[in-house]
Amino acid sequence: MTMFEGFGPKVQKWFRGLEADNSKAYFDATRDFFEEAVRGQMDALLTELSESFGGEVKMFRQNRDIRFSPDKSPYKTNTYGILHGPDLAAQGLYTSISARGLVAGTGYHVMARDQLDRYREAVADDGPGAELTKLTGKAQKAGLELWGQRLATAPRGYPKDHERIELLRRKSLTLGATLKFGRGIARTDGLRFVTKTWRAAAPVTAWLDERVGASALPVDRRPRRR
């Protein structure tokens, strides 16, 4: 196994180059660096963390799916992967590297119709809803941000003045943090940051796993992850 050594300043420079020249020519010319210092190190980071958190490492392709997108840029400007199936979070633990830094997060990135129904019912209920409010607030105080898509107004059947309307408007609920690049991201700093972020998010993901859980809908009826 390749040991995680960190992401040096040349990694940030590579991503900035990709943002400026998102072309096959640039990518092919720097592919060896990408495979070793970017993708290889992200894989090594997740593999090392899997020893503590469990789960299987899944790395995502650098190529973008441009079939249905007006943006025909061929490559993603971040490199990311997940630990699939860890005990801490049923939907997986996520990490990404880009020119902006190292991101760690988790949660329910996409919720199918049946998951959304269970989520909203739980949020509207005073017991579990108040609990989620407390847990998300504690996570934010620990430095995490709440991410995910939201409706412009209240979902059908729920009052606009509901005391937990901000949570009810959510179509997905993920949370995490970003470690900025600075002069680079050292091995110890990267491992500590991701570990701390995942553990700080764990009470929220535990709530989601208990109250929402996996979708029971056929795969072709679920929202697609892009």
Side-chain angles (χ1 to χ4, degrees):
M1 181 188 76
T2 300
M3 188 177 84
F4 174 63
E5 299 175 349
F7 298 103
K10 289 184 179 179
V11 172
Q12 185 181 41
K13 183 179 179 181
W14 182 85
F15 277 112
R16 286 176 173 168
L18 183 64
E19 290 175 357
D21 181 12
N22 197 303
S23 68
K24 188 175 186 300
Y26 175 86
F27 191 80
D28 285 350
T30 58
R31 182 183 293 273
D32 289 346
F33 178 82
F34 164 75
E35 293 290 352
E36 182 178 347
V38 183
R39 183 182 178 87
Q41 283 298 295
M42 176 57 70
D43 194 348
L45 171 62
L46 286 166
T47 299
E48 192 162 341
L49 289 167
S50 71
E51 296 176 2
S52 300
F53 291 93
E56 178 184 358
V57 175
K58 179 180 180 181
M59 291 292 298
F60 289 81
R61 295 180 57 176
Q62 198 67 27
N63 297 74
R64 295 180 62 248
D65 184 353
I66 61 175
R67 291 173 298 172
F68 308 107
S69 173
D71 179 3
K72 300 303 180 183
S73 302
Y75 302 104
K76 300 167 187 172
T77 54
N78 67 324
T79 298
Y80 59 95
I82 63 169
L83 286 184
H84 178 72
D87 294 334
L88 196 65
Q91 296 293 307
L93 298 164
Y94 168 90
T95 187
S96 165
I97 186 71
S98 72
R100 279 150 290 288
L102 183 63
V103 172
T106 184
Y108 280 46
H109 175 67
V110 175
M111 284 194 269
R113 181 73 263 169
D114 59 334
Q115 291 175 302
L116 268 176
D117 290 343
R118 292 193 295 271
Y119 169 78
R120 288 167 181 164
E121 288 173 7
V123 171
D125 188 301
D126 285 340
E131 180 186 8
L132 182 60
T133 298
K134 181 179 179 180
L135 293 175
T136 53
K138 187 174 181 180
Q140 288 175 296
K141 286 181 180 179
L144 276 62
E145 298 178 64
L146 299 186
W147 301 323
Q149 293 182 320
R150 292 184 293 178
L151 295 172
T153 186
R156 185 178 300 175
Y158 295 93
K160 294 181 181 180
D161 60 351
H162 193 286
E163 61 181 317
R164 289 181 292 279
I165 189 59
E166 291 304 313
L167 288 172
L168 283 170
R169 287 173 53 208
R170 291 189 171 274
K171 297 175 64 178
S172 61
L173 178 56
T174 56
L175 67 166
T178 303
L179 177 62
K180 294 183 179 179
F181 234 109
R183 295 181 179 177
I185 296 172
R187 165 185 164 78
T188 302
D189 292 340
L191 288 167
R192 184 188 299 119
F193 163 74
V194 178
T195 297
K196 180 181 177 181
T197 301
W198 285 351
R199 294 203 183 282
V204 176
T205 55
W207 186 98
L208 289 167
D209 291 342
E210 179 183 357
R211 303 288 180 178
V212 180
S215 174
L217 295 177
V219 174
D220 60 0
R221 292 182 59 190
R222 299 179 197 171
R224 292 186 178 182
R225 187 172 185 171
R226 295 187 177 182

